[in-house]
Amino acid sequence: MHRGTGLILLFYLVFYLFLAGMFALTMYIMLLTLDDYKPTWQDRLATPGMMIRPKGDQLEITFSVSDTESWDGLVHNLNSFLSPYNDSYQVQTNDNCPPDQYFIQEDSGEVRNNPKRSCQFNRTMLEDCSGMSDRFYGYNRGQPCILIKLNRVIGMLPGKDGQSPYVTCGAKREDSDKIGPLAYYPPNGTFNLMYYPYYGKKAQVNYTQPLVAVKFLNASMNTDINIECKVTSNTLADGSERDKFAGRVSFKLRINDK
């Protein structure tokens, strides 16, 4: 009886050791096929997602002009987000690239061109929305700045013929008379081609994601304004109704005067 139990235990020991060995071998072989610098397979959306900063609760930005505490957190959020964009840091770490063309950095056969360089995106390019000339980003005057970024996608080429993708914002139909005039920074709200392609976090360690700032110059007070911003490109497909973040982002803005 004891001998039979011992044989069964021995069988299971050998059996599970064999399974563990098979698992370790298959994992080892799979890891040999992976590249640390770029995904082996990339099944991505035709259009990257968009997001805004400062990021409020459920994509709602609500504040009162006269109540400093209501927008102080939004200003701190923007300051923290923009700190890597300070001109002094960008000059030290990134290149001053020629605009309106891709910054292609190919590998030379098996020799990797790493770490890859990145192009400067200086905070001052956001002008009135940089937090430099106006440290409150317009929130203290009811003229808030909203920053927009496209999600990073390795290898994406979002334009051709020297035409960079650009952002436009507008109010949903029922709020079209509330939004007022807008200003875009950099001019025309472009994500310049020189910031693409993106090569990944490990290959391009100092990559600075391009931004577009939208400033609301005379939006209606004390009312909800439903806004949608979207990217227009001559290579990226328009976002579908099924994905409300593909190439666009919607948010609610409410500016109270008290």
Side-chain angles (χ1 to χ4, degrees):
M1 184 73 178
H2 292 297
R3 186 181 175 193
T5 304
L7 288 173
I8 291 172
L9 290 174
L10 179 62
F11 167 77
Y12 278 109
L13 177 64
V14 172
F15 178 66
Y16 285 119
L17 283 173
F18 172 75
L19 288 181
M22 283 290 291
F23 176 75
L25 179 63
T26 52
M27 286 294 291
Y28 174 72
I29 292 171
M30 185 193 75
L31 289 172
L32 288 178
T33 68
L34 298 182
D35 190 322
D36 285 343
Y37 294 92
K38 64 180 181 179
T40 307
W41 304 105
Q42 202 167 348
D43 183 17
R44 66 171 186 248
L45 293 170
T47 307
M50 286 177 71
M51 190 46 68
I52 63 168
R53 292 290 185 275
K55 196 161 67 170
D57 294 336
Q58 299 179 332
L59 291 177
E60 290 184 21
I61 296 176
T62 302
F63 65 97
S64 298
V65 175
S66 58
D67 180 6
T68 306
E69 289 186 4
S70 72
W71 47 260
D72 190 54
L74 301 174
V75 168
H76 280 300
N77 186 301
L78 289 173
N79 281 335
S80 298
F81 181 70
L82 286 176
S83 61
Y85 292 85
N86 288 338
D87 291 30
S88 56
Y89 178 76
Q90 288 293 316
V91 167
Q92 289 176 3
T93 56
N94 291 334
D95 291 6
N96 187 11
C97 302
D100 306 322
Q101 63 186 55
Y102 290 126
F103 190 26
I104 306 277
Q105 302 170 78
E106 299 289 0
D107 297 335
S108 179
E110 292 298 312
V111 180
R112 289 192 181 277
N113 178 18
N114 288 328
K116 297 184 190 298
R117 301 292 299 160
S118 299
C119 296
Q120 293 176 18
F121 189 101
N122 296 315
R123 187 168 176 169
T124 47
M125 292 165 63
L126 298 175
E127 299 181 46
D128 289 352
C129 290
S130 66
M132 310 303 286
S133 57
D134 174 7
R135 63 194 181 101
F136 299 128
Y137 302 92
Y139 283 81
N140 61 328
R141 297 194 309 275
Q143 296 181 319
C145 291
I146 308 291
L147 304 183
I148 298 170
K149 64 186 186 74
L150 265 183
N151 289 351
R152 302 179 187 189
V153 178
I154 293 176
M156 179 180 72
L157 301 174
K160 62 181 180 181
D161 303 326
Q163 296 181 34
S164 298
Y166 62 92
V167 170
T168 53
C169 297
K172 299 291 180 68
R173 192 175 306 161
E174 65 276 11
D175 296 335
S176 57
D177 59 338
K178 302 177 185 176
I179 190 171
L182 306 174
Y184 295 92
Y185 312 102
N188 304 317
T190 56
F191 295 114
N192 200 281
L193 294 181
M194 64 182 171
Y195 301 107
Y196 304 95
Y198 172 56
Y199 288 99
K201 203 170 189 177
K202 190 165 184 179
Q204 208 169 4
V205 291
N206 291 320
Y207 181 73
T208 305
Q209 196 167 3
L211 305 171
V212 166
V214 183
K215 188 174 183 67
F216 294 81
L217 300 176
N218 191 23
S220 296
M221 297 276 195
N222 305 311
T223 183
D224 291 346
I225 309 173
N226 292 289
I227 297 161
E228 181 179 78
C229 297
K230 62 181 181 179
V231 66
T232 299
S233 160
N234 58 8
T235 60
L236 300 177
D238 291 334
S240 70
E241 287 299 320
R242 289 182 296 176
D243 187 345
K244 297 191 180 298
F245 290 94
R248 57 186 168 173
V249 61
S250 297
F251 60 96
K252 185 183 291 183
L253 176 65
R254 184 182 182 96
I255 308 169
N256 297 319
D257 57 5
K258 294 182 181 178

